[in-house]
Amino acid sequence: MREKVAIAGIGYTAFTSVSPGSSYRELTYEAAVKAYEEAGIEPKDVDSFVCTSEDMLEGYSISDEYCNDQLGAVLKPVQTIPGDFLHSLAVGVMHILTEKFDIVVVQALSKASNMKTIPEMVNFAMDPVLNRPLDITAYAVAGLEMNRFLEEGKATREQCATVVVKNKANALANPSAGYGARITVDHVLESEPVAEPVRLLDIAPYADGAVVVVLCAEKIAASLTDKPVWINGIGWSSDSPTLESRDWTDAVAVRLAGDMAYRMAGIRCPAKEIDLAEINDEISFKELQHLEALRLFEPGQAGRATEDGVTSPQGKLPVNVSGGGLGVGHLFECSGAQKVLELVLQLRGEAGARQVLGARVGLAQAWRGIPTTSAAVAILSA
Amino acid sequence: MELEKFELGATPLKESAMKDGKVLTLHKKPNLKYAWDNGPAIDRYLAELKKGRIIARKCNKCRRIMIPPRMFCELCWRPTDEWVYVEDTGVVNTFSICYVNWDASRIKKGDKPHLPAVIEIDGASDGMGILHVLGEVEPDKVKIGMKVKAVWKKPEEREGAITDILYFKPMRG
């Protein structure tokens, strides 16, 4: 029987458009103190630390060197993943599955407000020889993909806008969310065009924040927490980086990452077995595309289901009850961490006004963002 | 032969090869800008430098007086407790004599080499100090263990930056 991995503690800051009172150090420290307090541990009890950090986002070369102090990871085993938090979580899970580590801490942070040229930075992710000389915005990649998605009849433009309306409304019930609002489909459709069909309100606005999670092996879980949340499955995958020949309609990497996580969790019929999902919605239509890729809806059905309220907090499959990226804010490499946080709160029954009744199994999905095709998925249960 | 630019590794493309069009080249300058929030510890540290003072934070558990200051003690894993002013004098822990500039370009003939040094500051705990540069001293006269003192910019020229200290110079005696 394989060792099981539990989340024994989680700590987080508020997710805000700016955080001028804190550096990245104090943000992570705040989240770490809360996480360790919950699990009743101190840094000396931790066997390894996994951080999430990408140099271009932090503005430091070899930014992983700056992760240690604020986690209490000085003079301890630390490694850093330049990916989403869910990729780091996968590494943390693997550490425990080796049975050489009993307690592993996983961290992620966003200091988006400190990056002053985000569009240029995203543009820098495009191929320097083939794509960058064309002088087109990286948001075009989202526009190209959404256009093909709509052309294939996967959803209507209005259904994509409904995702924004739902997630921003959900965020109003989340005290940690930075971008809650009550808006209409027309507000989205009439917002400023960015890279048509993508409009300004289709894009998740940036946010700052930090999340720290304490993982532990099943054999010690009871000594750290009365409310363990189990990581039943985790998976990750990538499609091709080329903009010339990738799949422009379906999120293939998300499908593969999801299938990997389902296999590990022993889930055969996702639509019946998942109670709620936190899905990457960095651009409105991505929520619908990702839901289909994860087999939570039949092809072409996620948009109508959203219109019909199936993915609302009271629906059959609540999606992004937290507010998602559109309502909480886009947290870059911390995005997946906010999704895991929401699932942990929901599965423990601690989500307050937005508690989903009877939530037992949750799915968190991350995408590395424009212009990538990298994804990761985690399945959690109470 | 003196190298124009300090290089480690394989033979690079020559600039002339690019100028003459012998290789295909593309030029695009990244525009990456950051405005880092310092947080309360470094904000106060820089504000005090502007006033010509060096401030540290004390952890009342391990009793370390730490500069640069920090809001938490990374060893005791608890918030630090007090602000403590320390001296603008100290001892050279280690130094290097640099004949290349920050971008590895060689310093001009006749120019003095850069003298970066770690200075353990008087009043702070052992091993706690400032990475800065030495001045008013010949490179061959610098010694580990040497007592040094900060030379500050004029008050009206200070801007709340580590460069409000121009350099550290040897103390007499």
Side-chain angles (χ1 to χ4, degrees):
Chain A
M1 181 65 192
R2 193 179 66 215
E3 180 72 77
K4 278 173 70 182
V5 180
I7 293 175
I10 193 162
Y12 57 100
T13 65
F15 303 109
T16 53
S17 58
V18 291
S19 50
S22 302
S23 73
Y24 66 92
R25 300 178 196 88
E26 289 88 19
L27 283 182
T28 288
Y29 180 73
E30 178 186 340
V33 166
K34 292 174 178 171
Y36 301 170
E37 181 71 23
E38 261 198 14
I41 61 161
E42 290 182 40
K44 66 175 170 53
D45 305 319
V46 179
D47 299 312
S48 85
F49 296 83
V50 185
C51 303
T52 318
S53 165
E54 182 148 9
D55 294 2
M56 297 280 265
L57 304 183
E58 318 301 333
Y60 288 58
S61 294
I62 322 180
S63 58
D64 43 315
E65 286 297 301
Y66 293 85
C67 293
N68 306 352
D69 285 15
Q70 54 273 20
L71 270 181
V74 177
L75 307 173
K76 302 280 279 185
V78 189
Q79 70 186 103
T80 303
I81 303 298
D84 184 85
F85 169 88
L86 286 187
H87 292 101
S88 303
L89 189 71
V91 172
V93 167
M94 286 189 275
H95 283 189
I96 289 179
L97 294 182
T98 66
E99 302 187 15
K100 301 286 181 199
F101 305 84
D102 287 339
I103 300 181
V104 177
V105 164
V106 186
Q107 172 265 7
L109 167 90
S110 168
K111 247 309 192 177
S113 66
N114 285 183
M115 305 177 225
K116 296 301 173 197
T117 52
I118 291 175
E120 285 97 324
M121 182 152 44
V122 177
N123 190 268
F124 219 60
M126 293 167 72
D127 186 286
V129 177
L130 299 176
N131 305 146
R132 271 188 237 162
L134 299 173
D135 282 333
I136 48 172
T137 167
Y139 288 104
V141 177
L144 294 166
E145 193 173 304
M146 184 170 180
N147 210 17
R148 188 77 213 176
F149 185 76
L150 295 176
E151 175 69 19
E152 298 276 338
K154 295 286 193 171
T156 66
R157 185 64 192 80
E158 287 72 21
Q159 287 166 348
C160 297
T162 306
V163 172
V164 185
V165 174
K166 167 180 71 77
N167 291 357
K168 283 193 179 291
N170 287 356
L172 290 172
N174 181 356
S176 300
Y179 295 97
R182 206 162 294 289
I183 58 167
T184 65
V185 166
D186 285 342
H187 284 130
V188 180
L189 299 181
E190 288 161 16
S191 65
E192 218 176 307
V194 176
E196 284 274 37
V198 175
R199 292 192 167 237
L200 190 61
L201 286 176
D202 288 303
I203 304 171
Y206 312 125
D208 294 354
V211 176
V212 172
V213 170
V214 178
L215 305 182
C216 73
E218 182 179 21
K219 61 178 188 262
I220 63 163
S223 67
L224 299 187
T225 178
D226 298 331
K227 289 183 178 176
V229 170
W230 302 100
I231 301 176
N232 297 340
I234 196 151
W236 62 98
S237 189
S238 291
D239 193 351
S240 166
T242 92
L243 296 175
E244 287 75 12
S245 55
R246 62 167 61 167
D247 190 319
W248 284 100
T249 309
D250 293 318
V252 180
V254 174
R255 166 149 298 184
L256 295 172
D259 287 350
M260 183 175 166
Y262 291 145
R263 270 197 306 278
M264 183 173 167
I267 286 180
R268 291 210 168 77
C269 185
K272 285 194 184 128
E273 296 176 62
I274 302 291
D275 298 323
L276 79 163
E278 286 283 309
I279 299 295
N280 179 289
D281 59 340
E282 193 182 321
I283 312 289
S284 61
F285 80 99
K286 295 296 281 183
E287 176 171 312
L288 305 177
Q289 186 201 40
H290 292 157
L291 284 170
E292 288 182 13
L294 291 164
R295 306 179 195 280
L296 293 168
F297 289 96
E298 293 294 322
Q301 296 305 307
R304 172 170 299 177
T306 303
E307 264 177 350
D308 292 347
V310 176
T311 60
S312 77
Q314 297 77 33
K316 195 164 151 276
L317 176 66
V319 174
N320 288 329
V321 181
S322 68
L326 290 160
V328 174
H330 176 36
L331 295 160
F332 290 85
E333 65 266 50
C334 190
S335 294
Q338 181 273 323
K339 299 183 186 313
V340 167
L341 165 67
E342 181 65 16
L343 293 185
V344 169
L345 297 177
Q346 292 285 352
L347 295 170
R348 286 176 178 169
E350 294 172 356
R354 65 185 191 284
Q355 181 65 48
V356 174
L357 295 177
R360 282 193 55 257
V361 180
L363 179 148
Q365 176 252 326
W367 166 53
R368 293 293 323 278
I370 300 166
T372 79
T373 53
S374 291
V377 172
I379 314 284
L380 274 52
S381 76
Chain B
M1 192 187 86
E2 202 164 83
L3 288 171
E4 193 185 317
K5 182 119 177 170
F6 177 74
E7 300 280 3
L8 291 172
T11 309
L13 276 175
K14 294 219 162 42
E15 198 171 344
S16 59
M18 300 192 205
K19 271 186 190 153
D20 300 344
K22 289 181 180 158
V23 292
L24 282 173
T25 55
L26 293 156
H27 290 277
K28 198 148 171 89
K29 268 193 182 166
N31 177 26
L32 303 177
K33 289 192 177 133
Y34 306 88
W36 298 283
D37 293 315
N38 287 317
I42 301 301
D43 271 346
R44 176 83 188 265
Y45 183 56
L46 298 178
E48 293 289 348
L49 287 176
K50 193 170 182 180
K51 294 176 189 162
R53 298 186 297 218
I54 301 175
I55 201 160
R57 283 287 286 183
K58 187 178 175 195
C59 170
N60 283 343
K61 188 171 179 211
C62 65
R63 311 194 72 75
R64 288 189 306 160
I65 295 171
M66 299 179 271
I67 60 162
R70 57 206 75 168
M71 297 316 291
F72 51 87
C73 177
E74 78 281 8
L75 297 181
C76 300
W77 192 248
R78 59 189 292 284
T80 49
D81 301 281
E82 294 171 48
W83 294 103
V84 180
Y85 287 107
V86 292
E87 305 297 321
D88 70 348
T89 59
V91 172
V92 173
N93 174 312
T94 185
F95 69 96
S96 177
I97 304 172
C98 297
Y99 294 89
V100 291
N101 296 311
W102 73 275
D103 60 355
S105 58
R106 189 151 284 276
I107 60 169
K108 288 195 195 96
K109 250 199 171 102
D111 278 4
K112 286 194 169 170
H114 301 283
L115 296 172
V118 175
I119 295 135
E120 289 189 26
I121 292 293
D122 294 333
S125 294
D126 286 352
M128 290 278 173
I130 295 180
L131 172 67
H132 220 283
V133 291
L134 302 174
E136 293 185 41
V137 61
E138 290 305 318
D140 60 354
K141 295 284 187 289
V142 181
K143 297 277 179 289
I144 285 175
M146 194 167 81
K147 288 278 293 175
V148 293
K149 182 174 173 59
V151 174
W152 296 82
K153 271 186 187 166
K154 289 183 197 144
E156 63 273 20
E157 290 172 5
R158 290 183 206 142
E159 49 194 0
I162 192 70
T163 45
D164 288 350
I165 296 173
L166 290 167
Y167 51 83
F168 283 79
K169 67 170 185 182
M171 290 172 76
R172 285 164 199 219

